[in-house]
Amino acid sequence: MAAEIDEQPSVLAGLVERQSEFAEVADAISKRPPRFALLAARGSSDHAAIYAKYLIEVLLGLPVGLVSPSTATIYGARPDLRDVLFVTVSQSGGSPDLIEATEVARQQGALTVSVSNTPSSPLAAAAELSVDIGAGVEHAVAATKTYSATLMSLYLLIDAIRGGKAEDAKSIGELARQALDGSGEGVGRAVDRYRFVDRILTTARGYSYPTALEASLKLAETSYLAARAYSGADLLHGPVAAVNGDTAVLAVTSKGHGSEAMREVLEAVSSRGADVLAVGSAAKDVKSALGIGVPETVEELAPVLEILPIQRIALGLSLARGGDPDRPTGLLKVTKTR
């Protein structure tokens, strides 16, 4: 897991160099302009899909929905999907339910696109178009480089659909290296601080919300923490009542509209005595919190960077708590759901 975390700057830089490949897929999509988009995924890939949802709604101005694969695989639903862009995100490309949902979507008239780390996967064969995230083999069960590479691939694809040429992502590899190299002290302090914690909340707004979701999953699957993710807005609508001085809160906040929306959330949890760890390019602006900063970039690219120190926190906590982050108990790399 440590080695794969460290590979991410080069993986991300390599993806930007392949921008023309994403532009080809984007051109094919542009020739069949969709009325709206649907996204299908599981696990870490589901968090990447939620990131894509923000990108598509904000940058392309299209409505987006998240698919429940079981509606097709278990209940046999066959909706009219003409003029719909159906994007399936799966690092392995081998999940039976996602493959079947993609096949059904294609049969029902959707333009289907697979986004995976296995270009020869059954999912890629099922979809009309495919995107290879090119992260290389990932041996650890916990997704690290495949997650950030999926985010980057989705950004490059959606940016290309709007006519961009990855201008804002040119230095993402170097920024990722800075994020990893500059977070060591903060990560160490966070591990020391939370190694005996049993429960943690993760929260964010906007583009950073998928990072909060992925952070919760990483902490749960590597360190067996009772971790729960909330949108900052949802946290204020009730769950904040359970926050007190025994609560650890990991707040993801990067410069932009999302961090502005998080101010009220951070004030609320801090006033209730929560122990706050802030991660992101706006982390240093959060008072009364341990902050781990990352380099500032355009807001829509922030999730690619802010997840990096969180992965290292998950790794460190797992080791400090006597776990094996490469082989968490009872977990498999590919989930065979239907």
Side-chain angles (χ1 to χ4, degrees), residues 40 55 75 108 145 160 195 247 298-299 310 315 322:
L55 290 175
Y75 294 98
Q108 296 303 112
K145 66 177 181 175
R195 62 186 300 176
T247 308
V298 293
E299 188 176 2
I310 293 173
L315 170 67

Side-chain angles (χ1 to χ4, degrees), residues 106-242:
R106 189 170 181 178
Q107 292 164 5
Q108 296 303 112
L111 174 58
T112 52
V113 182
S114 74
V115 179
S116 81
N117 195 40
T118 311
S120 59
S121 69
L123 176 63
E128 188 170 344
L129 302 170
S130 63
V131 170
D132 175 16
I133 71 171
V137 177
E138 186 173 62
H139 296 283
V141 171
T144 54
K145 66 177 181 175
T146 55
Y147 179 72
S148 62
T150 302
L151 296 185
M152 193 73 244
S153 297
L154 289 165
Y155 172 82
L156 291 170
L157 176 62
I158 294 163
D159 178 62
I161 293 172
R162 67 168 173 170
K165 299 184 182 299
E167 294 90 348
D168 291 323
K170 296 296 185 185
S171 60
I172 196 68
E174 175 57 30
L175 294 176
R177 175 51 56 198
Q178 292 175 21
L180 287 171
D181 291 347
S183 63
E185 181 180 351
V187 168
R189 290 174 62 194
V191 170
D192 288 342
R193 192 162 171 169
Y194 298 123
R195 62 186 300 176
F196 299 114
V197 165
D198 292 321
R199 183 171 69 98
I200 188 167
L201 301 181
T202 65
T203 183
R205 293 290 305 272
Y207 283 112
S208 294
Y209 176 50
T211 308
L213 291 166
E214 179 65 9
S216 177
L217 174 61
K218 283 292 159 287
L219 293 169
E221 69 182 355
T222 61
S223 303
Y224 315 124
L225 283 168
R228 179 70 184 268
Y230 290 100
S231 157
D234 289 335
L235 182 59
L236 292 182
H237 285 187
V240 71

